[in-house]
Amino acid sequence: MSSLFKTYPYELEALEYDFNALEPYIDAKTVEIHHDRHQRNYVNSLNAVIEENPEYKDWTLDDFFRKEMQIPSDIRHIILRNAGGVYNHEEYFSHMTPDGQLSPEGELADAVEDFFGSVENLKAELKKAALDVFGSGYAYLVVTPQSWLQIITLSNQETPVQFNFKPLLIVDVWEHAYYLGYQNKRADYFDNWWNTVDWKKAEETYEEVNAKNKKFEFGF
Ligand code: MN
């Protein structure tokens, strides 16, 4: 479950698998530190800044992302950084699985073929994007409100919600996501991460967006 529509106080979302479940692709120590320290820090820091600014206790993460310009500039970056850190990490961890498949099925498989030609091309383009992120950030495969597939890169803790996109695949390329296992070899991390992709989850998200568009198209 995502915290996107939850309000303060935020909680550290439990992983749906054990720390070592993604081995040999991502080692247990990396998953443990990433989840129990990095993600937890974002949760605690977000709660702390809201405690100091209680007028935001009724705001959801989605509100923070969509109404960020209503937040005074002196605290906006602190709230957005931590809200983004909570959201992006929940998406990252929940889109990986020990039972990864190497390619999508159904409607998403057709869309991947339409937009990228093949799963291999999608992988190559997403990898290029992941390697292109300068400094800290993410590469995402998203679905737009029109059911288009698009690869985006985000800096630091920006989120796709700010652009009205829904996440299908997420690769965290902050060094803390891979440095223990791969040191500076981000490309190797990407190739291994690819084996953990939860295509079932991506298929569900894609089909939900697509169903809404079909309804609209046929005027139901
Ligand atoms: Mn991270």
Side-chain angles (χ1 to χ4, degrees), residues 66-164:
R66 292 179 193 275
K67 302 193 292 188
E68 60 176 294
M69 297 316 281
Q70 295 179 29
I71 306 170
S73 57
D74 58 331
I75 56 166
R76 186 190 308 142
H77 67 285
I78 303 173
I79 291 183
L80 265 290
R81 175 197 299 162
N82 290 301
V86 171
Y87 175 81
N88 283 323
H89 283 102
E90 288 182 356
E91 295 302 315
Y92 172 66
F93 284 119
S94 70
H95 281 83
M96 291 190 288
T97 172
D99 312 309
Q101 313 86 36
L102 285 176
S103 54
E105 292 173 4
E107 291 176 21
L108 182 56
D110 295 341
V112 166
E113 209 172 302
D114 288 347
F115 282 87
F116 298 98
S118 68
V119 176
E120 280 312 300
N121 284 349
L122 161 64
K123 182 184 174 187
E125 287 193 33
L126 189 61
K127 182 173 180 176
K128 185 171 178 296
L131 298 182
D132 267 353
V133 174
F134 184 72
S136 296
Y138 300 84
Y140 267 82
L141 173 71
V142 295
V143 53
T144 74
Q146 305 88 348
S147 301
W148 298 343
L149 299 188
Q150 195 172 325
I151 287 171
I152 59 169
T153 59
L154 297 171
S155 294
N156 299 313
Q157 297 297 359
E158 291 175 327
T159 73
V161 183
Q162 281 140 305
F163 306 97
N164 211 17

Side-chain angles (χ1 to χ4, degrees), residues 26-52:
I26 302 180
D27 66 276
K29 200 74 193 161
T30 295
V31 175
E32 181 180 356
I33 293 173
H34 199 171
H35 178 264
D36 281 14
R37 297 194 207 168
H38 290 275
Q39 186 173 345
R40 188 189 301 277
N41 272 342
Y42 284 110
V43 172
N44 291 347
S45 301
L46 180 60
N47 284 334
V49 68
I50 297 174
E51 272 155 36
E52 287 167 18

Side-chain angles (χ1 to χ4, degrees), residues 134-216:
F134 184 72
S136 296
Y138 300 84
Y140 267 82
L141 173 71
V142 295
V143 53
T144 74
Q146 305 88 348
S147 301
W148 298 343
L149 299 188
Q150 195 172 325
I151 287 171
I152 59 169
T153 59
L154 297 171
S155 294
N156 299 313
Q157 297 297 359
E158 291 175 327
T159 73
V161 183
Q162 281 140 305
F163 306 97
N164 211 17
F165 298 150
K166 286 196 170 22
L168 299 178
L169 307 183
I170 301 98
V171 56
D172 184 339
V173 293
W174 283 63
E175 282 187 344
H176 66 231
Y178 61 88
Y179 211 84
L180 276 182
Y182 297 96
Q183 293 81 48
N184 61 334
K185 293 173 283 186
R186 193 188 282 183
D188 290 356
Y189 159 66
F190 179 93
D191 289 337
N192 280 284
W193 163 81
W194 185 259
N195 293 293
T196 72
V197 160
D198 190 347
W199 281 110
K200 291 279 158 252
K201 184 161 174 147
E203 286 161 15
E204 281 166 25
T205 304
Y206 181 77
E207 282 165 23
E208 271 169 33
V209 173
N210 217 16
K212 276 187 198 150
N213 283 326
K214 280 182 190 157
K215 259 189 186 173
F216 183 70

